Structure formats: C-alpha cells, structure tokens
C-alpha cells in the first residue's frame, strides 16, 4: 500500500518534534502487526486458537504445564524468526538521525526494533529470543542452549528448567528497564505511544507520567485506546503507514530549514 495522499501529519506536530530536546517512543505489539506477528488482542491461529495468551503468559501457566508454555513460545519464536521489520520499525530507527535524543521503550519481545537498526532499546517485557534459568542463572540466547531433547530444556549450570526471558502477567518489570524508562518519561518533552492498547500496566502509565511532567503526547493507532482522550495529537492509522510519513515530513522540514 502506497502513502495515502489525503493523510497529512499536523505541521504543529512536526514543529514540536523538530524543537524537541528529548523524545520518547513507546511501542506495543501493534508496531509488529504489519510484520505478521499477531497482537495479543488478535485471534491466535491454528493449534493455538483455543488458548488465550493471558492464560499462557503467566507464571501459573508455566507451573501447571511448562511444556505447553514452552511450545507456545517456540511457535512465537518461529513467527518472529520468519518475520522482517516493517516500514514502521524502520522509520522509528530513522528518527534517531533526526532528533537530538530519542529513547525507545518497547513492550514487544520480538527484537524487531533492534533488527531495524534502533540502538539502546529498553525492553520492558524481555525478549523471547532469550531464555533464563528458573533457579536464577542468567539469560542466554535461545540458539546457545543445550539441546538435550527435553521440553523445556535444562540449565547447563544447575539442571533446573529454562523459561523464556520475558515478563509474564503478574511479574515485575526488570529493574534497570523500569528505572531507565521512568527517568526518560520524566525528562522528555514529547512522547509517542505507537501500537499499544495502553491497558497493560505499568507500561500504560508511562505516557500519563510524561504528560504530568509537561510532555506532549502523540498516539499512533488505528483504534482509539484509553489514552486517546488525553493525547495532544491522534494519528489514526497503522504505524507502518504513519511513521514513514512522519519521518518524511520531519526530514523535509529539516532539509528546508
Ligand atoms: P495489545 O495487543 O494489547 O494491543 C495492540 C494495539 O495495537 C491495539 O491498540 C491495536 O489497535 C494496535 N494496532 C494493531 N495494528 C496496528 C498497526 N498496524 N499499527 C499501529 N497500531 C496497531 O498490545 P500491547 O499494548 O503491546 O500489550 C500487550 C502485551 O503483549 C505486551 O506486554 C507485549 O509484551 C505482548 N506482546 C508482544 C508481542 C510482540 O513482541 N510482537 C506480540 C503480542 C503480544
């Protein structure tokens, strides 16, 4: 789909971005929808259609049936492995060249921002391409774990089960990611919430915290969210369409400055 000739990024927004000292981009699973990765709110497919993600991405589910949960993550890893960053991921990475200071906080666990070239991504919910030991040994890349034929595989240091290095519902956000994200939202002058339903806390609260500290809020989403009524700019549509337009508009303003 080419650019929509009727869609215009508000000039006031481009001006605000151009003047920004510190921008925060916060993304959710909608950012990866155009790479073919289902969001949690979309139906699951095939074998997995009968499960709700909320019933699989929990510590209780893993305790009850570690094999089922590990296999679900193996399926999701396959989807991610076959996917490519989309124009939205690429545009977000390109923003780094146009803004003096950009902090990217993602709730996604797919690593597509990094693959699109975004540096220093704050992974709020971990990464499904890593696993970690249930007894506390550090995370390892998934392709480096020993394959002993067991599901889930075992930690090579202590023999305990491995689990995906992601944050499940009810678990705490990694301390460093949380502290860095809080510092960024308190310092930023503009925050863009892209492809997030803004219902999963504490990620959803970050945008309001930025607003309380004086930042402008921008939302990029085809659907309204609980955040919509509080934002300064609502850009209704997909991130793969809107973000490249926004980057082009900012680039052409800077080229003509
Ligand atoms: P969500 O599933 O709750 O909401 C997705 C949001 O994206 C919705 O508001 C939807 O309208 C919007 N959306 C759909 N297509 C879009 C598009 N093309 N462009 C822009 N927006 C679009 O996702 P969430 O807010 O990220 O929260 C759910 C949790 O699910 C997160 O914690 C995340 O860790 C996890 N999750 C991650 C992935 C991934 O890593 N790709 C996938 C599924 C779920």
């Amino acid at each position: 789909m080419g650019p929509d000739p009727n869609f215009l990024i508000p000039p006031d927004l481009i001006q605000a971005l151009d003047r920004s000292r510190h921008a925060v981009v916060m993304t959710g699973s909608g950012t990866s929808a155009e790479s073919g990765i289902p969001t949690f709110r979309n139906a699951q497919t095939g074998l997995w259609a009968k499960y709700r993600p909320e019933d699989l991405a929990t510590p209780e589910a893993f305790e009850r049936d570690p094999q089922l949960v590990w296999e679900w993550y193996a399926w999701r890893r396959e989807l991610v492995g076959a996917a490519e960053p989309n124009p939205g991921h690429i545009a977000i990475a390109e923003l780094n060249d146009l803004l003096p200071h950009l902090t990217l906080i993602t709730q996604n666990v797919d690593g597509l921002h990094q693959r699109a070239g975004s540096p220093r991504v704050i992974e709020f919910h971990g990464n499904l391409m890593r696993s970690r030991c249930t007894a506390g040994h550090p995370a390892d890349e998934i392709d480096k774990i020993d394959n002993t034929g067991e599901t889930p595989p075992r930690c090579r240091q202590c023999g305990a089960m491995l689990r995906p290095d992601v944050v499940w519902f009810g678990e705490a956000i990694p301390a460093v990611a949380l502290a860095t994200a809080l510092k960024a939202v308190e310092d930023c002058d503009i925050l863009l919430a892209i492809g997030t339903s803004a219902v999963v806390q504490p990620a959803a609260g970050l945008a309001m915290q930025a607003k309380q500290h004086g930042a402008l809020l921008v939302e990029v989403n085809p659907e309204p969210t609980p955040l919509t009524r509080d934002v300064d700019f609502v850009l209704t549509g997909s991130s793969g369409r809107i973000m490249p337009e926004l980057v082009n508009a900012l680039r052409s303003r800077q080229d003509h400055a």
Side-chain angles (χ1 to χ4, degrees):
M1 197 173 32
D4 177 351
N6 300 316
F7 190 80
L8 195 64
I9 305 283
D12 290 0
L13 168 58
I14 296 305
Q15 188 182 54
L17 274 170
D18 191 35
R19 291 181 179 165
S20 136
R21 174 186 48 80
H22 182 184
V24 167
V25 167
M26 186 180 83
T27 64
S29 64
T31 325
S32 293
E34 288 155 283
S35 294
I37 315 232
T39 66
F40 269 8
R41 314 284 164 224
N42 286 350
Q44 306 216 76
T45 54
L47 191 61
W48 299 102
K50 63 181 176 197
Y51 297 100
R52 289 181 347 134
E54 294 88 335
D55 297 334
L56 291 167
T58 66
E60 295 76 26
F62 189 71
E63 213 163 284
R64 208 167 41 234
D65 195 342
Q67 186 174 355
L68 176 80
V69 172
W70 186 270
E71 282 173 351
W72 182 56
Y73 277 93
W75 170 71
R76 293 182 61 198
R77 272 199 302 275
E78 256 177 57
L79 285 179
V80 166
E84 294 294 335
N86 66 56
H89 294 113
I90 292 165
I92 291 167
E94 286 173 352
L95 274 180
N96 282 287
D97 301 331
L98 305 173
L99 299 173
H101 187 184
L102 176 71
T103 301
L104 173 57
I105 305 166
T106 189
Q107 298 168 81
N108 296 345
V109 294
D110 56 28
L112 287 173
H113 284 301
Q114 291 88 332
R115 282 170 57 195
S118 279
R120 302 176 305 276
V121 182
I122 300 177
E123 291 178 333
F124 223 60
H125 291 163
N127 191 316
L128 54 72
M129 292 302 188
R130 289 192 305 265
S131 68
R132 69 184 149 88
C133 167
T134 48
H137 289 107
D140 210 348
E141 301 302 319
I142 210 82
D143 52 4
K144 293 202 189 110
I145 59 182
D146 291 340
N147 184 4
T148 58
E150 283 166 291
T151 308
R154 301 276 164 173
C155 172
R156 78 166 64 108
Q157 289 185 62
C158 72
M161 267 190 282
L162 295 179
R163 56 162 282 178
D165 188 22
V166 298
V167 176
W168 283 327
F169 290 103
E171 292 187 319
I173 305 300
V176 174
L178 183 60
T180 321
L182 283 174
K183 220 169 139 210
V185 298
E186 288 176 8
D187 182 62
C188 72
D189 43 34
I190 187 162
L191 180 143
L192 295 89
I194 309 174
T196 174
S197 60
V199 291
V200 179
Q201 294 293 355
L206 290 177
M208 289 315 289
Q209 253 161 296
K211 188 180 167 95
Q212 278 152 18
H213 283 81
L216 280 178
L217 297 189
V218 184
E219 178 168 70
V220 180
N221 201 311
E223 307 284 339
T225 75
L227 206 59
T228 308
R229 64 169 188 273
D230 291 308
V231 304
D232 300 282
F233 297 97
V234 181
L235 305 181
T236 304
S238 82
S239 70
R241 178 170 72 84
I242 288 179
M243 291 313 293
E245 276 195 45
L246 184 143
V247 162
N248 283 342
L250 182 58
R251 191 175 277 136
S252 82
R253 179 186 166 96
Q254 293 183 349
D255 285 349
H256 295 100

